[in-house]
Every structure is written in structure tokens, then in C-alpha cells.
Amino acid sequence: MHTDTERCVRAVQSKDARFDGWFFTAVLTTRIYCRPSCPVVPPKVENMTFYPSAAACQQAGFRACKRCRPDTSPGSPEWNARADSVARAMRLIRDGVVDREGVPGLAARLGYSARQIERQLLAELGAGPLALARAQRAQTARLLIETTTLPMAEVAFAAGFSSIRTFNDTVREVFALAPGDLRNRAARSTAPTPAPGVIALRLPHRTPLNPSNLFGHLAATAVPGVEEWRDGAYRRTLALPYGHGSVTLTPRSHHVDCRLFLTDLRDLTLAISRCRWLLDLDADPVAVDDRLRTDPLLAPLVDAGPGRRVPRTVDGAEFAVRAVLGQQVSTAAARTHAARLVTAHGVPVDDPEGGGLTHLFPAADALAGLDPERLALPRSRRTTLTTLVGALADGTLRLGPDSDWEKARTELAALPGFGPWTVEVVAMRALGDPDAFLPTDLGIRRAAAELGLPSTPAALTARAAAWRPWRAYAVQYLWTVDDHPINHLPV
């Protein structure tokens, strides 16, 4: 979009927040870059230039605006709507893979050479993987500087910097302030000081956001010990590369409050990324709803509650296991089966806030050796579960934001007991495919019958072609026809 100068200028002059994250405005006279909705007086058109990423702005010598803080804008929804190598690379960089594994590790995960990935990212984003990862490290550092009292040396290494000098130079270059000055500015703000050990931040998103189905679904399907709804917030444990943690997510009118407890601060970047992925916060709800409103039978559902998101997961392997446990049983039964698995094989943890979070969901390695005879499941489903965890444990099946959607579908369909419903629900919630569709789902069939949509899976799929590439969001609206707990925030 950044190449469409006329459209970008209109967005900046109207301060349209819908375009935050889609592109960035760099001002040639001040050498500052902003988000489109920056509250300052827009610069002259001849002084504007546009970039597709904050990293590209920084690489070109621009520093972040202190008013609109463009480095904190929602991520581009483009990377969640595409499955090509650039989109998958961006999702991996967002998860901190370059910091943990370097560019060679990023390239190996994608099946390309490092040179190919560098060339593709430069062509689309104006910055290579190292520059993109550097921009993300700078934002992580800013969060730690402003929300904790950690010594700057600990902040530097927790954010992924290899040296204190690099940390200081980057912060000064990106924010035009020394790390100590950033902390002093934050201390003068009116925001409450978080409790010791807590990292408190706001997760921005594009409006509208309808929390009913998003948090309602997560609360209704919460696995005891791993997840809970408490005091108006969704809480869960997190298994992370360097340790573990827990998160409390509270919906607000224009953002989501996030409180993180981490045993190792090096996991902060990934924890934030997983929370945003879980809540689908980088979506473009206006584009989605506009497309779905073109169907006269869907339009009333969209108008009644616009801004619905697709509730996802913090761990693709975890969700696949839970999807198998939920085959052909009620939501309550699925929670019971999952809770038994957690109690027997999950890692016990302490809840820092004294709530009901007691375990991490068991990893595939821990489940690979379970005795199928001890599972209170039909024999066929035991075979499905053990085959799945075996494939996840030995690495022949990988499920995550960086997965190739069609390849993962093919691999899942080859497993015993994986029919179209299970494959598509994993594609929707674990892989993040915005076009995943569930024509055989009981709730979808009921909604189709009530709305006058085609009743057979084949006919409904043909009708749903007009909703592409947002059929997963259409599923969320169709589910609202049923009065099910997943559609409502708990009282």
C-alpha cells in the first residue's frame, strides 16, 4: 500500500487509524516517522514519503515520533492473510526467531536460503530480517524500560541485544532518547506502577473489536488448571523457550490490558506475539466486515455485532491435541478430557496471582509415551491422539503461525481420525488461516438452516466462495445464531 502515494496522503490528512501498521509516514524535513493517525498537524505533501515497515524507516535514518509512537501500532494484517514465504517470515520474526536462531535459523524453517529470504524481505518491506528484528528488539527494550525497574544491562539482554553498547546506540537512534531518559519520561506519566515482577502493557488493535465471541469462546472452552476466566479477564499459563509464565488479558474499549509474569524476560517478545496472535489483534475488521456484508443473509449478523475476531491459540500443537479430545463431544466433555491429560502429564507451576492456574499444558514429548489404555476415550480416538502426538514429538508435523497452510492440511488429513472438521478447525485456530471453513460443523448447519443458506456442505461451501478470503470470520458470525456460551462474556 505504501506505493499508492495519493491514498496514503488521504489517510494521513484524515488521521485514519484504520491504516496504522499498514504503512508509515516519514517526514523529510524533521527526519521523524509517524503512524497515519498521528495527532500532530500533517506535514506538507511534498515532505512526506512512505515506508512499509518501521524497520525500513529506521534503516533510512528516521526516528520514531514521540507523540504517536509508531513502533507500538498494530501489526500489518497483511501477514496474517497470506501464506507465502514473506508472510511466514514476518510471523517468525515477530515471534523472535531471528534473535534465538539467527537468519540461518529463519531460512531453515522456511526452506529457503538466507540470501533468498533477505532478497524477498527487502523487496516487500524495504528492510532485511536483521533490520526487522532490530526494530522489534527496540520496541521490546522500550517496554521493559518503561514498565519495569530492571537495571539497563538486564533490559538489554532480555530484549535480545548482544551488548550494552548496541542497546544504547539503538535506543538513541530509534527514539532520539537515551534509555535513562525514556524511563524518566515514563515515571512522570500518570499510569499506575505495576506490581513487582509484572510487565503491564496495552495491546493495541484496530476498531471495532467485539469481545463477546473472542473472550467468550476462550472462557467457555478453558481447560481447568491451564486457563481461567477471573475478575473480567482471561488468564492462562504459557510454555516458552527459556522458561514459562502466565498472562492476564482484559478487554478494554480501545485496547487489551496485558499483565505478564515471566520466569525469563528473554521470552517477552514471544509472549507478546503469542498473545496478539491468540486474540487476532492484527486483523482488519473493517475490510472483513465489508466483504461479509455483501451477502444479504450475513449482513444482519455483522451489523448486530461488528468486529468479531477469530479466537486462536498460543500453541498450535496444544490446540491440535485439544481438537482431537473435542471430536464428537460437548464443550464440557472436551474440557474434562483435557483437564485429565493436564493433571496427569502437565508441568505443575505456581500462580503468581493466587488464582487457579496450576499447570502448563503437556508438550508433545510428554504425551508421546502415554499409555492409550489409560485414556477414557473410544479406541479409534485413542489411535488418533497417539498418532498425532507421535508426529508432533518427532517433528514430522509442525503446527504454528509460520506453517504452510495447505501442506499442514495435507499432513493432518493423512492422520487416522482427522476428517474435514478437525483439519479445518486446526487450520482456523492453530494455523491462523483466515479462510478456513467448517461446513460440516453442527452449529454452522443450524445457522444455515435458520438463515436460509444452503443446507448441504457442498452447497454451503459454494455459497461461501463469495465470502473469501474471510470465511473463518464468517464462521464466527454464523455461530452467533446459536445461543451458546462461546458467544457471550461470562457474567
Side-chain angles (χ1 to χ4, degrees):
M1 179 181 173
H2 71 288
T3 58
D4 188 342
T5 301
E6 183 179 344
R7 189 179 180 193
C8 290
V9 168
R10 288 201 306 269
V12 172
Q13 291 179 336
S14 62
K15 303 183 187 301
D16 196 332
R18 293 178 301 170
F19 293 97
D20 288 354
W22 276 104
F23 69 91
F24 297 83
T25 307
V27 185
L28 298 174
T29 51
T30 61
R31 307 302 296 175
I32 289 172
Y33 74 94
C34 303
R35 61 172 78 196
S37 64
C38 184
V40 303
V41 177
K44 294 180 180 179
V45 174
E46 59 267 27
N47 293 330
M48 296 185 203
T49 186
F50 305 103
Y51 289 91
S53 66
C57 294
Q58 294 167 19
Q59 194 158 271
F62 296 90
R63 66 181 187 274
C65 174
K66 296 174 184 176
R67 287 287 302 277
C68 68
R69 298 181 59 165
D71 50 303
T72 65
S73 60
S76 172
E78 188 173 8
W79 313 129
N80 289 346
R82 289 166 46 181
D84 56 58
S85 58
V86 171
R88 291 163 59 209
M90 287 301 295
R91 293 196 286 268
L92 284 171
I93 292 170
R94 186 175 58 195
D95 271 4
V97 167
V98 172
D99 292 335
R100 296 193 301 274
E101 304 174 20
V103 177
L106 172 69
R109 284 183 178 235
L110 297 171
Y112 292 90
S113 70
R115 182 174 296 180
Q116 286 174 304
I117 295 299
E118 179 93 21
R119 185 170 60 249
Q120 291 173 0
L121 290 174
L122 279 171
E124 283 213 38
L125 290 134
L130 289 177
L132 292 163
R134 176 179 178 268
Q136 183 164 271
R137 282 196 295 273
Q139 169 59 10
T140 302
R142 183 173 196 161
L143 281 172
L144 290 171
I145 290 169
E146 295 180 339
T147 63
T148 73
T149 57
L150 288 172
M152 292 300 177
E154 292 186 34
V155 169
F157 294 117
F161 289 97
S162 58
S163 70
I164 304 297
R165 180 176 179 177
T166 304
F167 160 72
N168 286 328
D169 290 347
T170 300
V171 171
R172 285 193 182 96
E173 181 181 338
V174 173
F175 304 115
L177 288 169
D181 294 332
L182 271 180
R183 179 162 284 172
N184 290 337
R185 282 168 59 95
R188 292 196 297 268
S189 72
T190 57
T193 303
V198 178
I199 299 172
L201 58 144
R202 294 181 173 188
L203 302 181
H205 58 74
R206 293 172 186 84
T207 56
L209 181 143
N210 189 326
S212 300
N213 80 301
L214 181 58
F215 286 90
H217 198 126
L218 295 172
T221 60
V223 177
V226 175
E227 304 166 286
E228 68 173 0
W229 179 265
R230 182 184 178 206
D231 298 332
Y234 168 76
R235 306 182 67 237
R236 73 154 291 148
T237 57
L238 302 169
L240 300 162
Y242 296 108
H244 66 268
S246 65
V247 65
T248 300
L249 298 165
T250 308
R252 303 297 185 196
S253 57
H254 290 91
H255 66 274
V256 174
D257 275 341
C258 175
R259 291 166 52 85
L260 280 164
F261 295 83
L262 301 174
T263 57
D264 193 315
L265 287 175
R266 290 176 294 175
D267 287 320
L268 177 61
T269 297
L270 178 58
I272 295 172
S273 173
R274 292 294 168 87
C275 290
R276 294 192 64 82
W277 178 259
L278 170 73
L279 302 180
D280 194 16
L281 295 186
D282 290 330
D284 185 348
V286 174
V288 172
D289 290 352
D290 284 350
R291 171 60 64 87
L292 299 183
R293 280 193 184 97
T294 61
D295 190 314
L297 297 183
L298 274 186
L301 300 180
V302 177
D303 292 337
R308 292 187 180 273
R309 301 300 207 269
V310 177
R312 294 185 182 145
T313 179
V314 297
D315 186 281
E318 172 190 317
F319 183 79
V321 170
R322 291 171 61 170
V324 170
L325 296 175
Q327 288 177 335
Q328 299 178 345
V329 297
S330 66
T331 299
R335 293 180 65 200
T336 299
H337 288 313
R340 289 172 181 165
L341 210 63
V342 165
T343 302
H345 302 280
V347 177
V349 295
D350 294 326
D351 188 336
E353 293 192 314
L357 303 183
T358 59
H359 288 79
L360 301 176
F361 195 89
D365 291 344
L367 295 176
L370 61 79
D371 180 3
E373 298 301 321
R374 298 175 66 96
L375 297 172
L377 299 171
R379 186 169 298 277
S380 61
R381 201 160 311 143
R382 294 181 202 170
T383 302
T384 300
L385 182 61
T386 54
T387 306
L388 170 65
V389 297
L392 292 169
D394 64 20
T396 57
L397 176 64
R398 294 182 63 175
L399 302 174
D402 61 304
S403 297
D404 181 298
W405 296 336
E406 294 312 313
K407 179 182 177 184
R409 277 184 170 92
T410 301
E411 292 172 344
L412 287 168
L415 298 176
F418 268 76
W421 182 90
T422 311
V423 170
E424 286 301 303
V425 78
V426 171
M428 181 171 68
R429 297 193 58 194
L431 304 180
D433 184 353
D435 201 38
F437 192 51
L438 308 173
T440 61
D441 180 81
L442 181 59
I444 299 301
R445 291 166 61 189
R446 286 176 177 169
E450 185 163 332
L451 295 174
L453 289 165
S455 57
T456 66
L460 183 57
T461 300
R463 172 65 177 267
W467 308 338
R468 304 190 76 166
W470 309 120
R471 293 185 301 176
Y473 294 88
V475 167
Q476 308 308 313
Y477 285 108
L478 290 171
W479 273 339
T480 65
V481 174
D482 245 353
D483 187 23
H484 192 280
I486 65 170
N487 294 314
H488 311 288
L489 289 174
V491 178

PDB file of all heavy atoms in Angstrom, residues 150-161:
ATOM      1  N   LEU A 150      14.025  -2.833  36.121  1.00  0.00           N
ATOM      2  CA  LEU A 150      15.227  -3.629  35.888  1.00  0.00           C
ATOM      3  C   LEU A 150      16.419  -2.749  35.556  1.00  0.00           C
ATOM      4  O   LEU A 150      16.274  -1.720  34.879  1.00  0.00           O
ATOM      5  CB  LEU A 150      14.999  -4.596  34.725  1.00  0.00           C
ATOM      6  CG  LEU A 150      14.078  -5.787  34.952  1.00  0.00           C
ATOM      7  CD1 LEU A 150      13.826  -6.493  33.622  1.00  0.00           C
ATOM      8  CD2 LEU A 150      14.710  -6.768  35.942  1.00  0.00           C
ATOM      9  N   PRO A 151      17.610  -3.128  35.979  1.00  0.00           N
ATOM     10  CA  PRO A 151      18.811  -2.417  35.531  1.00  0.00           C
ATOM     11  C   PRO A 151      18.907  -2.467  34.005  1.00  0.00           C
ATOM     12  O   PRO A 151      18.477  -3.438  33.373  1.00  0.00           O
ATOM     13  CB  PRO A 151      19.953  -3.204  36.188  1.00  0.00           C
ATOM     14  CG  PRO A 151      19.321  -3.915  37.342  1.00  0.00           C
ATOM     15  CD  PRO A 151      17.914  -4.215  36.924  1.00  0.00           C
ATOM     16  N   MET A 152      19.485  -1.437  33.403  1.00  0.00           N
ATOM     17  CA  MET A 152      19.531  -1.352  31.952  1.00  0.00           C
ATOM     18  C   MET A 152      20.289  -2.526  31.324  1.00  0.00           C
ATOM     19  O   MET A 152      19.961  -2.949  30.211  1.00  0.00           O
ATOM     20  CB  MET A 152      20.156  -0.028  31.524  1.00  0.00           C
ATOM     21  CG  MET A 152      19.294   1.181  31.851  1.00  0.00           C
ATOM     22  SD  MET A 152      17.666   1.107  31.045  1.00  0.00           S
ATOM     23  CE  MET A 152      16.906   2.594  31.701  1.00  0.00           C
ATOM     24  N   ALA A 153      21.281  -3.048  32.015  1.00  0.00           N
ATOM     25  CA  ALA A 153      22.022  -4.199  31.466  1.00  0.00           C
ATOM     26  C   ALA A 153      21.097  -5.399  31.311  1.00  0.00           C
ATOM     27  O   ALA A 153      21.142  -6.104  30.290  1.00  0.00           O
ATOM     28  CB  ALA A 153      23.200  -4.546  32.372  1.00  0.00           C
ATOM     29  N   GLU A 154      20.233  -5.624  32.299  1.00  0.00           N
ATOM     30  CA  GLU A 154      19.292  -6.738  32.205  1.00  0.00           C
ATOM     31  C   GLU A 154      18.249  -6.485  31.126  1.00  0.00           C
ATOM     32  O   GLU A 154      17.836  -7.410  30.408  1.00  0.00           O
ATOM     33  CB  GLU A 154      18.613  -6.963  33.561  1.00  0.00           C
ATOM     34  CG  GLU A 154      19.535  -7.479  34.648  1.00  0.00           C
ATOM     35  CD  GLU A 154      18.795  -7.825  35.917  1.00  0.00           C
ATOM     36  OE1 GLU A 154      17.636  -8.282  35.820  1.00  0.00           O
ATOM     37  OE2 GLU A 154      19.362  -7.633  37.017  1.00  0.00           O
ATOM     38  N   VAL A 155      17.829  -5.243  30.982  1.00  0.00           N
ATOM     39  CA  VAL A 155      16.887  -4.887  29.917  1.00  0.00           C
ATOM     40  C   VAL A 155      17.496  -5.201  28.560  1.00  0.00           C
ATOM     41  O   VAL A 155      16.845  -5.775  27.676  1.00  0.00           O
ATOM     42  CB  VAL A 155      16.509  -3.395  30.000  1.00  0.00           C
ATOM     43  CG1 VAL A 155      15.751  -2.965  28.747  1.00  0.00           C
ATOM     44  CG2 VAL A 155      15.669  -3.117  31.235  1.00  0.00           C
ATOM     45  N   ALA A 156      18.750  -4.827  28.364  1.00  0.00           N
ATOM     46  CA  ALA A 156      19.415  -5.026  27.078  1.00  0.00           C
ATOM     47  C   ALA A 156      19.430  -6.488  26.672  1.00  0.00           C
ATOM     48  O   ALA A 156      19.055  -6.841  25.543  1.00  0.00           O
ATOM     49  CB  ALA A 156      20.841  -4.481  27.144  1.00  0.00           C
ATOM     50  N   PHE A 157      19.851  -7.346  27.566  1.00  0.00           N
ATOM     51  CA  PHE A 157      19.956  -8.763  27.208  1.00  0.00           C
ATOM     52  C   PHE A 157      18.589  -9.434  27.132  1.00  0.00           C
ATOM     53  O   PHE A 157      18.377 -10.325  26.311  1.00  0.00           O
ATOM     54  CB  PHE A 157      20.880  -9.481  28.200  1.00  0.00           C
ATOM     55  CG  PHE A 157      22.312  -9.021  28.116  1.00  0.00           C
ATOM     56  CD1 PHE A 157      22.926  -8.397  29.185  1.00  0.00           C
ATOM     57  CD2 PHE A 157      23.031  -9.179  26.938  1.00  0.00           C
ATOM     58  CE1 PHE A 157      24.232  -7.947  29.100  1.00  0.00           C
ATOM     59  CE2 PHE A 157      24.340  -8.735  26.836  1.00  0.00           C
ATOM     60  CZ  PHE A 157      24.949  -8.113  27.921  1.00  0.00           C
ATOM     61  N   ALA A 158      17.649  -8.990  27.968  1.00  0.00           N
ATOM     62  CA  ALA A 158      16.292  -9.550  27.893  1.00  0.00           C
ATOM     63  C   ALA A 158      15.627  -9.194  26.576  1.00  0.00           C
ATOM     64  O   ALA A 158      14.847  -9.979  26.030  1.00  0.00           O
ATOM     65  CB  ALA A 158      15.452  -9.048  29.064  1.00  0.00           C
ATOM     66  N   ALA A 159      15.940  -8.013  26.037  1.00  0.00           N
ATOM     67  CA  ALA A 159      15.349  -7.587  24.769  1.00  0.00           C
ATOM     68  C   ALA A 159      16.008  -8.235  23.565  1.00  0.00           C
ATOM     69  O   ALA A 159      15.513  -8.101  22.445  1.00  0.00           O
ATOM     70  CB  ALA A 159      15.428  -6.070  24.641  1.00  0.00           C
ATOM     71  N   GLY A 160      17.140  -8.921  23.785  1.00  0.00           N
ATOM     72  CA  GLY A 160      17.789  -9.635  22.691  1.00  0.00           C
ATOM     73  C   GLY A 160      19.042  -8.981  22.148  1.00  0.00           C
ATOM     74  O   GLY A 160      19.612  -9.460  21.161  1.00  0.00           O
ATOM     75  N   PHE A 161      19.505  -7.882  22.782  1.00  0.00           N
ATOM     76  CA  PHE A 161      20.725  -7.235  22.320  1.00  0.00           C
ATOM     77  C   PHE A 161      21.949  -8.017  22.793  1.00  0.00           C
ATOM     78  O   PHE A 161      21.953  -8.579  23.890  1.00  0.00           O
ATOM     79  CB  PHE A 161      20.792  -5.794  22.829  1.00  0.00           C
ATOM     80  CG  PHE A 161      19.799  -4.883  22.168  1.00  0.00           C
ATOM     81  CD1 PHE A 161      18.576  -4.604  22.775  1.00  0.00           C
ATOM     82  CD2 PHE A 161      20.067  -4.312  20.943  1.00  0.00           C
ATOM     83  CE1 PHE A 161      17.650  -3.767  22.169  1.00  0.00           C
ATOM     84  CE2 PHE A 161      19.145  -3.471  20.326  1.00  0.00           C
ATOM     85  CZ  PHE A 161      17.935  -3.206  20.934  1.00  0.00           C
TER      86      PHE A 161
END
